[in-house]
């Protein structure tokens, strides 16, 4: 399955690329406490582990930065840290491109395979896909918040 989302950040491209190269930004984006509404949605669908909460540790791998004509690309992968067969392995990339001197477009493109433990019913597949989309949206929002904090310092 494919998942795609994007966000625009009021930051110069160079500052955004530099900040995304720092693993601490990713750690803060992925390891903050969930807001109450987020906790409810994730708990309802049983995948709190996507964000490495105590319920389930998740490994997130962030690759090096590659500059291409379409933008600056960072490879990203997340997967369960242990023997869990209900959290999908997600592989993708984050692409940064300048929309102006002080505006950066951040796009997340990824694919994932449905875990074997998840039912193959259409309703279950739809719910899981919505949860993965939600996780990607949260990651982008937290990266944007982190970039905003770095740029305004």
């Amino acid at each position: 399955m494919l998942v795609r989302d994007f966000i625009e950040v009021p930051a110069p491209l160079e500052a955004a690329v530099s900040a995304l190269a720092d693993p601490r930004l990713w750690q803060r984006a992925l390891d903050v406490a969930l807001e109450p509404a987020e906790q409810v949605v994730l708990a309802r669908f049983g995948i709190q582990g996507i964000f490495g909460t105590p319920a389930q540790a998740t490994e997130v791998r962030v690759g090096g930065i590659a500059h291409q004509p379409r933008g600056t690309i960072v490879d990203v992968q997340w997967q369960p840290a242990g023997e869990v067969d209900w959290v999908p392995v997600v592989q993708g990339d984050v692409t940064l491109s300048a929309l102006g001197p002080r505006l950066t477009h951040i796009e997340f493109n990824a694919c994932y395979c449905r875990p074997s433990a998840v039912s193959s019913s259409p309703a279950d597949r739809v719910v899981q896909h919505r949860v993965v989309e939600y996780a990607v949206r949260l990651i982008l929002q937290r990266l944007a918040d982190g970039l905003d904090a770095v740029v305004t310092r």
Side-chain angles (χ1 to χ4, degrees), residues 19 23 34-35 44 49 53:
L34 295 175
E35 298 297 323
R44 182 180 303 144
T53 60

Side-chain angles (χ1 to χ4, degrees), residues 1 3 40-47 50 86 88 112 114-115 118-135:
M1 299 284 296
V3 63
V40 168
V41 171
L42 293 172
R44 182 180 303 144
F45 298 124
I47 63 144
I50 279 185
W86 51 265
Y112 67 94
R114 190 174 49 79
V118 175
S119 166
S120 62
S121 77
D124 287 342
R125 287 194 308 262
V126 167
V127 168
Q128 183 184 38
H129 186 72
R130 294 294 296 164
V131 170
V132 172
E133 286 179 325
Y134 183 72

Side-chain angles (χ1 to χ4, degrees), residues 15-23 25-26 62-63 65 74 94 96 106 143 147:
V17 169
S18 174
L20 279 180
D22 184 354
L25 177 66
W26 288 91
V62 179
I65 293 176
V74 180
V94 175
L96 295 90
I106 303 175
L143 286 173
L147 284 172

Side-chain angles (χ1 to χ4, degrees), residues 77-91:
Q77 176 185 26
W78 80 70
Q79 65 186 28
E83 296 289 325
V84 177
D85 55 1
W86 51 265
V87 176
V89 174
V90 178
Q91 295 181 325

